[in-house]
Amino acid sequence: MLSDKVANALNQHINAEMYSAYLYMSMSNAANDLGLKGFASWFMVQFHEEMMHGMKMYEYLQRQGVSVKLLAIQQPPHDFSSALEMFEKTLEHEQKVTGLLNNLMEIAKEEKDNATQIFLNWYITEQVEEEENDNDMIQQLKLIKDDIRGVLLLDRELAQRAVTVPTDYSKGIESAMKGEG
Ligand code: OFO
């Protein structure tokens, strides 16, 4: 059973994950506009990951007997002038999400909610990987600078990233992830 404080905070955080999905879908569109199909595909994979993060929390709340209240999703930015700008904005956003998750963890601790602390561990570990990926991409794009051949090579490499998370939400995310949560 969750306290109202924990349930409300998790409910609010679903919205942050949905916004992340929306933001990366917008970046995918912007990359496509720039002719960078590999970057566009990478951001769509990221979109699926974020949807999974939101749905995993949705399912956790339901399993704890909480009725989820869906909130309005903020409009994401539409214009990005370069791949570097997208990854800089991505890192900035992920740092914000890390802060939100750390706050959630503090609330779970204050409420002596051990199950939620264990559940949130997965998200907190995931953020380390997300920020690392963004930092790596920023470094590479800064090294490449305006060398279009370098950008196109990276574009080809990013096109290889495949969706590895469950995308059939009707089956339940936590069960589909076989206890990883
Ligand atoms: Fe859900 O990890 Fe990014 O936002």
Side-chain angles (χ1 to χ4, degrees):
M1 190 198 136
L2 302 182
S3 69
D4 285 351
K5 198 170 175 188
V6 169
N8 289 337
L10 292 177
N11 192 105
Q12 180 76 41
H13 192 80
I14 292 175
N15 189 262
E17 297 291 346
M18 290 294 157
Y19 175 75
S20 299
Y22 223 30
L23 175 65
Y24 298 138
M25 184 158 63
S26 186
M27 286 186 183
S28 177
N29 177 68
N32 192 60
D33 288 348
L34 292 171
L36 298 171
K37 304 254 185 212
F39 281 88
S41 162
W42 193 95
F43 277 114
M44 277 314 281
V45 175
Q46 198 60 27
F47 158 82
H48 285 296
E49 290 223 348
E50 299 299 351
M51 287 294 295
M52 181 274 281
H53 297 172
M55 292 306 292
K56 190 173 159 68
M57 209 164 269
Y58 170 90
E59 190 183 342
Y60 178 73
L61 284 175
Q62 287 189 334
R63 288 178 67 198
Q64 292 272 16
V66 177
S67 177
V68 175
K69 192 189 278 174
L70 297 176
L71 306 170
I73 303 170
Q74 194 194 323
Q75 182 178 357
H78 173 268
D79 297 315
F80 302 91
S81 58
S82 67
L84 178 59
E85 187 194 352
M86 286 177 218
F87 276 97
E88 283 174 340
K89 295 261 163 70
T90 297
L91 177 62
E92 204 178 293
H93 177 67
E94 288 305 334
Q95 287 169 339
K96 248 184 244 167
V97 173
T98 302
L100 293 175
L101 286 163
N102 285 335
N103 286 342
L104 279 183
M105 184 62 103
E106 288 311 308
I107 294 171
K109 280 184 192 160
E110 279 164 24
E111 297 290 300
K112 298 189 175 28
D113 183 339
N114 292 325
T116 299
Q117 288 175 55
I118 293 166
F119 175 72
L120 288 173
N121 275 338
W122 181 88
Y123 285 85
I124 293 193
T125 308
E126 177 79 3
Q127 284 309 112
V128 175
E129 189 189 313
E130 296 226 341
E131 288 190 28
E132 183 185 8
N133 287 341
D134 299 337
N135 272 316
D136 288 351
M137 286 301 302
I138 289 169
Q139 262 187 323
Q140 287 189 47
L141 285 163
K142 281 186 174 165
L143 284 172
I144 291 169
K145 279 194 182 158
D146 298 327
D147 177 1
I148 191 63
R149 279 173 308 177
V151 175
L152 292 177
L153 266 177
L154 191 55
D155 189 61
R156 212 179 291 170
E157 189 186 314
L158 293 186
Q160 306 306 316
R161 184 184 184 197
V163 179
T164 55
V165 298
T167 53
D168 184 352
Y169 306 119
S170 67
K171 293 199 169 82
I173 294 301
E174 287 225 85
S175 24
M177 291 178 76
K178 297 194 176 65
E180 278 184 59

